[in-house]
Amino acid sequence: MPAPQRVSAETLVTAVRSIAEKDGVDAVTMSAVAAAVGVRAPSLYKRASNRHELLRLAADDVARELGEEIAELSRRVDDPRELLVGTARALRGISSRSPKVTTLLFCAPAPLAGPSPELVAPLMATLLAAVTRLSPEDPLSAARTLTAWAYGFSTMEQNGGFRQGGDVDAAFERGLDIVLAGIGA
Amino acid sequence: MPAPQRVSAETLVTAVRSIAEKDGVDAVTMSAVAAAVGVRAPSLYKRASNRHELLRLAADDVARELGEEIAELSRRVDDPRELLVGTARALRGISSRSPKVTTLLFCAPAPLAGPSPELVAPLMATLLAAVTRLSPEDPLSAARTLTAWAYGFSTMEQNGGFRQGGDVDAAFERGLDIVLAGIGA
DNA sequence: GTCTATAGCATGATAGAC
DNA sequence: GTCTATCATGCTATAGAC
């Protein structure tokens, strides 16, 4: 039986995420994270072999969150359109609560700092399955249209991309309608 | 008459952009840039008062490039749909040639490292004007749908967002059709 | 698994001469 | 505007004891 870790995986990832949101992704350093979890920097190397792996913990955690919301939706609803609506809104919600870490999904400083492909693939597969039911010909392109829009919107919203005022919630719902109509929903 | 600068603004911004593309945004440091332009680090502080201002030079340069392509399009074509198609393709092209710096547009490590709002505003205004001719009611939402999709697609394409293979060019054109149809083009 | 200690290096930034 | 010199700090990462 291995010795218990003094710092749980959950504590660690929570610290990484909170530092990233508070002071930016660049502020996630081995020593800052170590200090946050009450440990010395060298000890962290038993958990993540470098700074980028620390960031991946956070990125994976956000991917996991999104995956759970999608799974929960899948259980509750059968209508594919409803599933896609829920997924887009879930992404926007997560991005609003964790803007910095959410950008890591497709805007990481290095590939190793982004989410694990094995973790993202099943999410994409679920979306693709739902899209396929709506748009049997070239569902991959249709799914990419939806994800690109949802990610772009969420990122821009959180990074000052929408400075002209107006009703941003309305813009989101309008965009959702446009994209879903276009993919046959 | 002020003494001529030994390092032209163009040389400087070119160096920043090439370092960012080659080794990532994190590699843009005062000393790395100084070395690239053949100057000592302290001299750079006369040109940019910190690292983020260096990044802004690059972000603004990409915004300028995009602005020039849009202006050129505006001169050549009158059809608003064609202008929007050209703009989306221009953004994708720039993102493909300068992926790292293009992400700075809406995914900068700090607001000061992103493009100057005064530089981005006129671009958005041009787009909004074109969209207004196609979609008079709530053109702002329509314009946001287009920009969010185009930015999201370009970012994901350059950051491993599309790992399932398939025809990415086709996905882009399909997305463009979907969004333009939705905003009334 | 965690610690102390430290190597080794890069960093941003400033002062003052030319 | 650029230089030399330097400060003070921060960082990643490793070695070896407990």
Side-chain angles (χ1 to χ4, degrees), chain A residues 64-157:
Chain A
R64 177 195 54 75
E65 256 184 50
L66 184 59
E68 283 174 7
E69 293 207 38
I70 295 176
E72 164 71 16
L73 274 167
S74 301
R75 256 175 268 124
R76 282 215 325 269
V77 308
D78 181 60
D79 179 36
R81 182 195 154 94
E82 216 173 316
L83 178 70
L84 298 177
V85 166
T87 299
R89 289 190 184 140
L91 176 60
R92 184 178 179 226
I94 291 174
S95 178
S96 135
R97 291 189 296 276
S98 309
K100 300 289 172 59
V101 178
T102 302
T103 64
L104 283 178
L105 255 28
F106 300 112
C107 202
L112 279 176
S116 315
E118 320 86 71
L119 226 155
V120 176
L123 304 196
M124 295 298 199
T126 304
L127 283 193
L128 187 57
V131 170
T132 302
R133 291 169 65 191
L134 294 170
S135 182
E137 21 94 37
D138 200 4
L140 190 51
S141 291
R144 282 169 173 169
T145 301
L146 178 64
T147 52
W149 166 78
Y151 176 72
F153 192 99
S154 303
T155 303
M156 290 182 68
E157 182 180 16

Coordinates of all heavy atoms in Angstrom, one line a residue, chain A residues 64-157:
Chain A
R64 N -13.2 17.5 -18.0 CA -14.0 16.5 -17.2 C -15.3 17.1 -16.8 O -16.4 16.5 -17.0 CB -13.2 16.1 -16.0 CG -14.0 15.2 -15.0 CD -13.3 15.1 -13.6 NE -13.1 16.5 -13.0 CZ -14.1 17.2 -12.5 NH1 -15.4 16.7 -12.5 NH2 -13.9 18.4 -11.9
E65 N -15.3 18.4 -16.3 CA -16.5 19.1 -16.0 C -17.5 19.1 -17.1 O -18.7 18.8 -17.0 CB -16.2 20.5 -15.6 CG -16.2 20.8 -14.1 CD -16.0 22.3 -13.9 OE1 -16.6 23.2 -14.5 OE2 -15.1 22.6 -13.1
L66 N -17.0 19.5 -18.3 CA -17.8 19.6 -19.5 C -18.4 18.2 -19.8 O -19.6 18.1 -20.1 CB -17.1 20.2 -20.6 CG -17.8 20.4 -21.9 CD1 -19.0 21.4 -21.7 CD2 -16.9 20.9 -23.0
G67 N -17.5 17.2 -19.7 CA -18.0 15.9 -20.0 C -19.1 15.4 -19.1 O -20.0 14.8 -19.5
E68 N -19.0 15.8 -17.8 CA -20.0 15.4 -16.9 C -21.3 16.1 -17.2 O -22.4 15.5 -17.1 CB -19.6 15.7 -15.5 CG -18.6 14.7 -14.9 CD -18.0 15.1 -13.6 OE1 -18.5 16.0 -13.0 OE2 -17.1 14.4 -13.1
E69 N -21.3 17.3 -17.6 CA -22.5 18.0 -17.9 C -23.1 17.4 -19.2 O -24.4 17.3 -19.2 CB -22.2 19.5 -18.1 CG -21.8 20.2 -16.8 CD -22.1 21.7 -16.8 OE1 -23.2 22.1 -17.3 OE2 -21.3 22.5 -16.4
I70 N -22.3 17.0 -20.1 CA -22.9 16.4 -21.3 C -23.5 15.0 -21.0 O -24.5 14.7 -21.5 CB -21.8 16.3 -22.4 CG1 -21.3 17.6 -22.9 CG2 -22.3 15.5 -23.6 CD1 -20.1 17.6 -23.9
A71 N -22.8 14.3 -20.2 CA -23.3 13.0 -19.8 C -24.6 13.1 -19.1 O -25.6 12.3 -19.3 CB -22.3 12.3 -18.9
E72 N -24.7 14.0 -18.2 CA -25.9 14.3 -17.4 C -27.1 14.6 -18.4 O -28.2 14.2 -18.3 CB -25.7 15.4 -16.4 CG -26.9 16.1 -15.8 CD -27.6 15.2 -14.8 OE1 -27.0 14.2 -14.4 OE2 -28.8 15.4 -14.5
L73 N -26.7 15.5 -19.4 CA -27.7 15.9 -20.4 C -28.2 14.6 -21.2 O -29.4 14.5 -21.4 CB -27.1 16.9 -21.4 CG -27.2 18.3 -21.0 CD1 -26.3 19.1 -21.9 CD2 -28.6 18.8 -21.1
S74 N -27.2 13.8 -21.6 CA -27.6 12.6 -22.4 C -28.5 11.7 -21.6 O -29.4 11.1 -22.2 CB -26.3 11.9 -22.7 OG -25.4 12.7 -23.4
R75 N -28.4 11.7 -20.3 CA -29.3 10.9 -19.5 C -30.7 11.4 -19.5 O -31.6 10.7 -19.5 CB -28.7 10.8 -18.1 CG -28.0 9.4 -17.8 CD -27.4 9.4 -16.4 NE -26.0 9.8 -16.4 CZ -25.5 10.8 -15.7 NH1 -26.2 11.6 -15.0 NH2 -24.2 11.1 -15.9
R76 N -30.7 12.8 -19.4 CA -32.0 13.4 -19.3 C -32.8 13.6 -20.6 O -34.1 13.5 -20.6 CB -31.8 14.8 -18.6 CG -31.6 14.7 -17.1 CD -32.3 15.9 -16.4 NE -32.2 17.1 -17.3 CZ -31.2 18.0 -17.2 NH1 -30.2 17.8 -16.4 NH2 -31.2 19.0 -18.0
V77 N -32.1 13.9 -21.6 CA -32.9 14.2 -22.9 C -32.5 13.3 -24.0 O -31.4 12.8 -24.0 CB -32.6 15.7 -23.3 CG1 -32.9 16.6 -22.2 CG2 -31.2 15.9 -23.8
D78 N -33.4 13.1 -24.9 CA -33.1 12.3 -26.1 C -33.0 13.1 -27.3 O -32.2 12.8 -28.2 CB -34.2 11.2 -26.2 CG -33.9 10.3 -27.4 OD1 -32.8 9.7 -27.4 OD2 -34.6 10.3 -28.4
D79 N -33.7 14.2 -27.4 CA -33.6 15.1 -28.6 C -32.2 15.6 -28.8 O -31.6 16.2 -28.0 CB -34.6 16.2 -28.3 CG -34.5 17.2 -29.5 OD1 -34.4 16.7 -30.7 OD2 -34.6 18.4 -29.3
P80 N -31.6 15.3 -30.0 CA -30.3 15.7 -30.3 C -30.1 17.2 -30.2 O -29.1 17.7 -29.8 CB -30.0 15.1 -31.6 CG -31.3 14.7 -32.2 CD -32.2 14.5 -31.1
R81 N -31.1 17.9 -30.7 CA -31.0 19.3 -30.7 C -30.9 19.9 -29.3 O -30.0 20.7 -29.0 CB -32.2 20.0 -31.4 CG -32.1 21.5 -31.5 CD -33.5 22.2 -31.8 NE -33.5 23.5 -31.2 CZ -33.1 24.6 -31.9 NH1 -32.8 24.5 -33.2 NH2 -33.1 25.8 -31.4
E82 N -31.7 19.3 -28.4 CA -31.6 19.7 -27.0 C -30.3 19.5 -26.4 O -29.7 20.3 -25.6 CB -32.7 19.0 -26.3 CG -33.4 19.9 -25.2 CD -34.6 19.2 -24.6 OE1 -35.4 18.6 -25.3 OE2 -34.7 19.2 -23.3
L83 N -29.7 18.3 -26.8 CA -28.4 18.0 -26.3 C -27.3 19.0 -26.7 O -26.5 19.4 -26.0 CB -28.0 16.6 -26.8 CG -26.6 16.1 -26.3 CD1 -26.5 15.9 -24.8 CD2 -26.1 14.9 -27.1
L84 N -27.4 19.4 -28.0 CA -26.4 20.4 -28.5 C -26.6 21.8 -27.9 O -25.6 22.4 -27.5 CB -26.5 20.5 -30.0 CG -26.2 19.1 -30.7 CD1 -26.4 19.3 -32.2 CD2 -24.8 18.7 -30.4
V85 N -27.9 22.1 -27.7 CA -28.1 23.4 -27.0 C -27.5 23.4 -25.6 O -26.8 24.3 -25.2 CB -29.7 23.7 -26.9 CG1 -30.0 24.8 -26.0 CG2 -30.2 24.0 -28.3
G86 N -27.8 22.3 -24.9 CA -27.3 22.2 -23.6 C -25.8 22.2 -23.5 O -25.2 22.8 -22.6
T87 N -25.2 21.6 -24.5 CA -23.7 21.5 -24.5 C -23.1 22.9 -24.7 O -22.2 23.3 -24.0 CB -23.2 20.5 -25.6 OG1 -23.7 19.2 -25.3 CG2 -21.7 20.5 -25.6
A88 N -23.7 23.6 -25.7 CA -23.2 25.0 -25.9 C -23.3 25.8 -24.7 O -22.4 26.6 -24.3 CB -23.9 25.6 -27.1
R89 N -24.5 25.7 -24.1 CA -24.7 26.6 -22.9 C -23.8 26.1 -21.8 O -23.3 27.0 -21.0 CB -26.2 26.5 -22.4 CG -27.1 27.2 -23.4 CD -28.5 27.3 -22.8 NE -29.4 27.9 -23.8 CZ -30.7 27.5 -24.0 NH1 -31.2 26.5 -23.3 NH2 -31.4 28.1 -24.9
A90 N -23.5 24.9 -21.7 CA -22.6 24.4 -20.6 C -21.2 24.9 -20.8 O -20.6 25.4 -19.9 CB -22.6 22.9 -20.6
L91 N -20.8 24.9 -22.0 CA -19.4 25.4 -22.3 C -19.4 26.9 -22.0 O -18.4 27.4 -21.4 CB -19.1 25.2 -23.8 CG -17.7 25.8 -24.2 CD1 -16.6 25.2 -23.4 CD2 -17.5 25.6 -25.7
R92 N -20.4 27.6 -22.4 CA -20.4 29.1 -22.1 C -20.4 29.3 -20.5 O -19.7 30.2 -20.0 CB -21.6 29.7 -22.7 CG -21.6 31.2 -22.5 CD -22.8 31.9 -23.2 NE -22.7 33.4 -22.9 CZ -23.8 34.1 -22.6 NH1 -25.0 33.5 -22.4 NH2 -23.7 35.4 -22.4
G93 N -21.1 28.5 -19.8 CA -21.2 28.6 -18.4 C -19.8 28.3 -17.7 O -19.3 29.1 -16.9
I94 N -19.2 27.3 -18.2 CA -17.9 26.9 -17.6 C -16.9 28.0 -18.0 O -16.1 28.4 -17.1 CB -17.4 25.6 -18.2 CG1 -18.3 24.4 -17.6 CG2 -16.0 25.3 -17.8 CD1 -18.0 23.1 -18.2
S95 N -17.0 28.5 -19.2 CA -16.0 29.5 -19.6 C -16.2 30.8 -18.8 O -15.3 31.5 -18.5 CB -16.2 29.8 -21.1 OG -15.4 30.9 -21.5
S96 N -17.5 31.0 -18.4 CA -17.7 32.2 -17.6 C -17.2 32.1 -16.1 O -16.8 33.0 -15.5 CB -19.2 32.6 -17.7 OG -19.7 32.9 -16.4
R97 N -17.3 30.9 -15.6 CA -16.8 30.6 -14.3 C -15.3 30.4 -14.3 O -14.6 30.8 -13.3 CB -17.5 29.4 -13.7 CG -19.0 29.5 -13.4 CD -19.5 28.3 -12.6 NE -19.4 27.1 -13.4 CZ -20.3 26.7 -14.2 NH1 -21.4 27.4 -14.5 NH2 -20.2 25.5 -14.9
S98 N -14.8 29.9 -15.3 CA -13.3 29.6 -15.4 C -12.7 30.0 -16.7 O -12.3 29.2 -17.5 CB -13.1 28.1 -15.2 OG -13.7 27.6 -14.1
P99 N -12.8 31.3 -17.0 CA -12.4 31.8 -18.3 C -10.9 31.5 -18.7 O -10.7 31.0 -19.8 CB -12.5 33.3 -18.2 CG -12.6 33.7 -16.8 CD -13.2 32.4 -16.1
K100 N -10.0 31.6 -17.8 CA -8.6 31.4 -18.1 C -8.3 30.0 -18.5 O -7.6 29.7 -19.4 CB -7.7 31.9 -17.0 CG -7.9 33.4 -16.6 CD -7.3 34.3 -17.7 CE -7.6 35.7 -17.4 NZ -7.1 36.2 -16.1
V101 N -8.8 29.1 -17.6 CA -8.5 27.7 -17.8 C -9.3 27.1 -19.0 O -8.8 26.3 -19.8 CB -8.9 26.8 -16.6 CG1 -8.6 25.4 -16.8 CG2 -8.0 27.3 -15.4
T102 N -10.4 27.7 -19.3 CA -11.2 27.2 -20.5 C -10.5 27.6 -21.8 O -10.5 26.8 -22.7 CB -12.6 27.9 -20.5 OG1 -13.3 27.5 -19.3 CG2 -13.4 27.4 -21.7
T103 N -9.8 28.7 -21.8 CA -9.0 29.0 -23.0 C -7.9 28.0 -23.3 O -7.5 27.8 -24.4 CB -8.3 30.4 -22.9 OG1 -7.4 30.4 -21.9 CG2 -9.4 31.5 -22.7
L104 N -7.5 27.3 -22.2 CA -6.4 26.3 -22.4 C -6.9 25.2 -23.3 O -6.1 24.5 -23.9 CB -6.1 25.7 -21.0 CG -5.1 26.5 -20.1 CD1 -4.9 25.7 -18.8 CD2 -3.8 26.8 -20.8
L105 N -8.2 25.0 -23.4 CA -8.8 23.9 -24.2 C -8.2 23.9 -25.6 O -7.9 22.9 -26.2 CB -10.3 24.0 -24.2 CG -11.1 23.0 -23.4 CD1 -10.5 22.5 -22.1 CD2 -12.5 23.6 -23.0
F106 N -8.2 25.1 -26.2 CA -7.7 25.2 -27.6 C -6.7 26.3 -27.8 O -6.4 26.7 -28.9 CB -8.8 25.4 -28.6 CG -9.8 24.2 -28.5 CD1 -11.1 24.4 -28.1 CD2 -9.4 23.0 -29.0 CE1 -12.0 23.4 -28.0 CE2 -10.3 21.9 -28.9 CZ -11.6 22.1 -28.5
C107 N -6.1 26.8 -26.7 CA -5.2 28.0 -26.8 C -4.1 27.8 -25.7 O -3.8 28.8 -25.1 CB -6.0 29.3 -26.6 SG -5.3 30.7 -27.3
A108 N -3.6 26.6 -25.6 CA -2.6 26.4 -24.6 C -1.2 26.9 -25.1 O -1.0 26.9 -26.3 CB -2.5 24.9 -24.2
P109 N -0.4 27.3 -24.1 CA 1.0 27.8 -24.5 C 1.8 26.7 -25.1 O 2.8 27.0 -25.8 CB 1.5 28.3 -23.2 CG 0.7 27.6 -22.1 CD -0.6 27.4 -22.7
A110 N 1.5 25.5 -24.9 CA 2.2 24.3 -25.5 C 1.2 23.2 -25.5 O 0.3 23.1 -24.7 CB 3.4 24.0 -24.7
P111 N 1.4 22.3 -26.5 CA 0.5 21.1 -26.6 C 0.3 20.4 -25.3 O -0.8 19.9 -24.9 CB 1.1 20.3 -27.7 CG 1.9 21.2 -28.5 CD 2.4 22.2 -27.5
L112 N 1.4 20.2 -24.5 CA 1.4 19.5 -23.3 C 0.6 20.2 -22.2 O 0.2 19.5 -21.2 CB 2.8 19.2 -22.8 CG 3.5 18.0 -23.4 CD1 5.0 18.0 -22.9 CD2 2.8 16.7 -23.1
A113 N 0.4 21.4 -22.4 CA -0.4 22.2 -21.4 C -1.9 22.2 -21.7 O -2.7 22.6 -20.9 CB 0.1 23.6 -21.3
G114 N -2.2 21.6 -22.9 CA -3.7 21.5 -23.2 C -4.2 20.2 -22.7 O -3.5 19.4 -22.0
P115 N -5.5 20.0 -22.9 CA -6.1 18.8 -22.3 C -5.6 17.5 -23.0 O -5.2 17.6 -24.2 CB -7.6 19.0 -22.6 CG -7.7 20.0 -23.8 CD -6.4 20.8 -23.6
S116 N -5.7 16.4 -22.3 CA -5.3 15.1 -23.0 C -6.2 14.8 -24.1 O -7.5 14.8 -23.9 CB -5.3 14.0 -21.9 OG -4.7 14.4 -20.7
P117 N -5.7 14.5 -25.2 CA -6.6 14.1 -26.4 C -7.5 13.0 -26.0 O -8.7 13.0 -26.4 CB -5.6 13.6 -27.4 CG -4.3 14.4 -27.1 CD -4.3 14.5 -25.6
E118 N -7.1 12.0 -25.2 CA -8.0 10.9 -24.9 C -9.2 11.4 -24.1 O -10.2 10.7 -24.0 CB -7.3 9.8 -24.0 CG -5.8 9.6 -24.4 CD -4.9 10.5 -23.8 OE1 -4.6 10.5 -22.6 OE2 -4.3 11.4 -24.6
L119 N -9.0 12.5 -23.4 CA -10.1 13.0 -22.6 C -11.1 13.8 -23.4 O -12.3 13.8 -23.2 CB -9.6 13.9 -21.5 CG -10.1 13.6 -20.1 CD1 -9.1 14.1 -19.1 CD2 -11.4 14.4 -19.9
V120 N -10.6 14.4 -24.5 CA -11.4 15.3 -25.3 C -12.2 14.5 -26.3 O -13.4 14.8 -26.7 CB -10.6 16.4 -26.0 CG1 -11.4 17.2 -26.9 CG2 -9.9 17.3 -24.9
A121 N -11.5 13.4 -26.8 CA -12.1 12.6 -27.9 C -13.5 12.2 -27.6 O -14.4 12.3 -28.5 CB -11.2 11.5 -28.3
P122 N -13.8 11.6 -26.5 CA -15.1 11.1 -26.2 C -16.2 12.2 -26.2 O -17.3 12.0 -26.6 CB -15.1 10.4 -24.9 CG -13.7 10.7 -24.3 CD -12.8 11.2 -25.4
L123 N -15.8 13.4 -25.8 CA -16.8 14.5 -25.8 C -17.1 14.8 -27.2 O -18.3 15.0 -27.6 CB -16.1 15.7 -25.2 CG -15.6 15.7 -23.7 CD1 -15.4 17.1 -23.2 CD2 -16.5 14.9 -22.9
M124 N -16.1 14.9 -28.0 CA -16.3 15.2 -29.5 C -17.2 14.1 -30.1 O -18.1 14.4 -30.9 CB -15.0 15.3 -30.2 CG -14.2 16.5 -29.7 SD -14.9 18.1 -30.0 CE -13.5 19.2 -29.9
A125 N -16.9 12.8 -29.7 CA -17.7 11.7 -30.3 C -19.2 11.8 -29.9 O -20.0 11.6 -30.7 CB -17.1 10.4 -29.8
T126 N -19.4 12.2 -28.7 CA -20.8 12.3 -28.2 C -21.5 13.4 -29.1 O -22.7 13.2 -29.6 CB -20.9 12.7 -26.7 OG1 -20.2 11.7 -26.0 CG2 -22.4 12.8 -26.3
L127 N -20.8 14.5 -29.2 CA -21.4 15.6 -30.0 C -21.7 15.2 -31.5 O -22.7 15.4 -32.1 CB -20.5 16.8 -30.1 CG -20.4 17.7 -28.8 CD1 -19.7 19.0 -29.2 CD2 -21.9 18.0 -28.4
L128 N -20.7 14.5 -32.0 CA -20.7 14.0 -33.4 C -21.9 13.1 -33.6 O -22.7 13.2 -34.6 CB -19.4 13.3 -33.8 CG -19.3 13.0 -35.2 CD1 -19.5 14.2 -36.1 CD2 -18.0 12.3 -35.5
A129 N -22.2 12.2 -32.6 CA -23.3 11.3 -32.7 C -24.6 12.1 -32.7 O -25.5 11.8 -33.5 CB -23.3 10.3 -31.5
A130 N -24.7 13.1 -31.9 CA -25.9 13.9 -31.9 C -26.1 14.6 -33.2 O -27.2 14.7 -33.7 CB -25.9 14.9 -30.7
V131 N -25.0 15.2 -33.7 CA -25.1 15.9 -34.9 C -25.5 15.0 -36.1 O -26.3 15.4 -37.0 CB -23.8 16.6 -35.2 CG1 -23.8 17.2 -36.6 CG2 -23.5 17.7 -34.2
T132 N -25.0 13.8 -36.0 CA -25.2 12.8 -37.1 C -26.7 12.5 -37.2 O -27.2 12.3 -38.3 CB -24.5 11.5 -36.9 OG1 -23.1 11.8 -36.7 CG2 -24.7 10.5 -38.0
R133 N -27.4 12.5 -36.1 CA -28.9 12.3 -36.2 C -29.6 13.5 -36.8 O -30.7 13.3 -37.3 CB -29.4 12.1 -34.8 CG -28.9 10.7 -34.2 CD -29.2 10.6 -32.7 NE -30.6 10.6 -32.4 CZ -31.2 10.8 -31.2 NH1 -30.3 10.9 -30.1 NH2 -32.5 10.8 -31.0
L134 N -29.0 14.6 -36.8 CA -29.7 15.8 -37.4 C -29.2 16.0 -38.8 O -30.0 16.6 -39.6 CB -29.3 17.1 -36.6 CG -29.8 17.1 -35.2 CD1 -29.2 18.3 -34.4 CD2 -31.3 17.2 -35.2
S135 N -28.0 15.7 -39.1 CA -27.4 16.1 -40.3 C -26.5 14.9 -40.9 O -25.3 15.0 -40.7 CB -26.5 17.3 -40.0 OG -25.9 17.8 -41.2
P136 N -27.2 13.9 -41.4 CA -26.4 12.7 -41.8 C -25.3 12.9 -42.8 O -24.3 12.1 -42.8 CB -27.5 11.8 -42.3 CG -28.8 12.4 -41.9 CD -28.6 13.8 -41.8
E137 N -25.4 13.9 -43.7 CA -24.3 14.0 -44.6 C -23.3 15.1 -44.1 O -23.7 16.1 -43.7 CB -24.8 14.4 -46.0 CG -26.2 15.1 -46.1 CD -26.1 16.6 -46.1 OE1 -25.1 17.2 -46.7 OE2 -27.0 17.2 -45.5
D138 N -22.1 14.6 -44.1 CA -21.0 15.4 -43.5 C -21.3 16.0 -42.1 O -21.2 17.2 -41.9 CB -20.7 16.6 -44.5 CG -19.3 17.1 -44.2 OD1 -18.6 16.6 -43.3 OD2 -18.9 18.1 -44.8
P139 N -21.6 15.1 -41.2 CA -21.8 15.5 -39.8 C -20.5 16.1 -39.2 O -20.6 17.0 -38.3 CB -22.2 14.3 -39.1 CG -21.7 13.1 -39.9 CD -21.7 13.6 -41.3
L140 N -19.4 15.7 -39.6 CA -18.1 16.2 -39.0 C -18.0 17.7 -39.2 O -17.7 18.4 -38.3 CB -16.9 15.4 -39.6 CG -15.6 15.6 -38.9 CD1 -15.7 15.4 -37.4 CD2 -14.5 14.7 -39.5
S141 N -18.3 18.1 -40.4 CA -18.2 19.6 -40.7 C -19.3 20.3 -39.9 O -19.0 21.4 -39.3 CB -18.5 19.8 -42.2 OG -17.4 19.4 -43.0
A142 N -20.4 19.7 -39.8 CA -21.5 20.4 -39.0 C -21.1 20.5 -37.5 O -21.3 21.5 -36.9 CB -22.8 19.6 -39.1
A143 N -20.5 19.4 -37.0 CA -20.1 19.4 -35.6 C -19.0 20.5 -35.4 O -19.0 21.2 -34.3 CB -19.6 18.0 -35.2
R144 N -18.1 20.6 -36.3 CA -17.0 21.5 -36.2 C -17.6 23.0 -36.2 O -17.0 23.9 -35.6 CB -16.0 21.3 -37.3 CG -15.1 20.1 -37.0 CD -14.3 19.7 -38.1 NE -13.3 18.6 -37.6 CZ -12.6 17.9 -38.4 NH1 -12.6 18.0 -39.7 NH2 -11.8 17.0 -37.8
T145 N -18.6 23.2 -37.0 CA -19.2 24.5 -37.0 C -19.7 24.9 -35.7 O -19.5 26.0 -35.2 CB -20.3 24.6 -38.1 OG1 -19.8 24.2 -39.4 CG2 -20.9 26.0 -38.2
L146 N -20.4 23.9 -35.1 CA -21.0 24.2 -33.7 C -19.9 24.5 -32.7 O -19.9 25.4 -31.9 CB -21.9 23.1 -33.3 CG -22.5 23.2 -31.9 CD1 -23.5 24.4 -31.9 CD2 -23.3 22.0 -31.5
T147 N -18.9 23.6 -32.6 CA -17.9 23.7 -31.6 C -17.1 25.0 -31.8 O -16.7 25.7 -30.9 CB -17.0 22.5 -31.5 OG1 -16.5 22.2 -32.8 CG2 -17.7 21.3 -31.1
A148 N -16.7 25.3 -33.1 CA -15.9 26.5 -33.3 C -16.7 27.7 -32.9 O -16.1 28.6 -32.2 CB -15.6 26.5 -34.8
W149 N -18.0 27.7 -33.2 CA -18.7 28.9 -32.8 C -18.8 29.0 -31.3 O -18.6 30.1 -30.7 CB -20.1 28.9 -33.4 CG -21.0 29.9 -32.8 CD1 -21.1 31.2 -33.0 CD2 -22.0 29.6 -31.7 NE1 -22.0 31.8 -32.1 CE2 -22.5 30.8 -31.3 CE3 -22.4 28.4 -31.0 CZ2 -23.5 30.9 -30.3 CZ3 -23.3 28.5 -30.0 CH2 -23.9 29.8 -29.7
A150 N -19.2 27.9 -30.6 CA -19.4 27.9 -29.2 C -18.1 28.3 -28.5 O -18.1 29.1 -27.5 CB -19.9 26.6 -28.7
Y151 N -17.0 27.7 -28.9 CA -15.7 28.1 -28.3 C -15.3 29.5 -28.6 O -14.9 30.2 -27.7 CB -14.6 27.1 -28.8 CG -13.2 27.4 -28.2 CD1 -12.9 27.2 -26.8 CD2 -12.2 28.0 -29.0 CE1 -11.7 27.6 -26.3 CE2 -11.0 28.4 -28.5 CZ -10.7 28.1 -27.1 OH -9.5 28.5 -26.6
G152 N -15.4 29.9 -29.8 CA -15.1 31.3 -30.2 C -15.9 32.3 -29.4 O -15.4 33.3 -28.9
F153 N -17.2 32.0 -29.3 CA -18.1 33.0 -28.6 C -17.7 33.1 -27.2 O -17.5 34.2 -26.6 CB -19.5 32.5 -28.7 CG -20.5 33.6 -28.3 CD1 -21.2 34.4 -29.2 CD2 -20.8 33.8 -26.9 CE1 -22.1 35.3 -28.8 CE2 -21.7 34.8 -26.5 CZ -22.3 35.5 -27.5
S154 N -17.5 31.9 -26.5 CA -17.2 31.9 -25.1 C -15.8 32.6 -24.8 O -15.7 33.4 -23.9 CB -17.1 30.5 -24.6 OG -18.3 29.8 -24.8
T155 N -14.8 32.3 -25.7 CA -13.5 33.0 -25.5 C -13.6 34.5 -25.7 O -13.1 35.2 -24.9 CB -12.6 32.4 -26.6 OG1 -12.5 31.0 -26.4 CG2 -11.2 33.0 -26.4
M156 N -14.3 34.9 -26.8 CA -14.4 36.3 -27.1 C -15.1 37.0 -25.9 O -14.7 38.1 -25.5 CB -15.0 36.6 -28.4 CG -14.2 36.1 -29.6 SD -14.9 36.5 -31.2 CE -14.9 38.3 -31.2
E157 N -16.2 36.4 -25.5 CA -16.9 37.1 -24.4 C -16.1 37.3 -23.2 O -16.2 38.3 -22.5 CB -18.1 36.2 -24.1 CG -19.0 36.8 -23.0 CD -20.2 35.9 -22.6 OE1 -20.2 34.7 -22.9 OE2 -21.1 36.4 -22.0

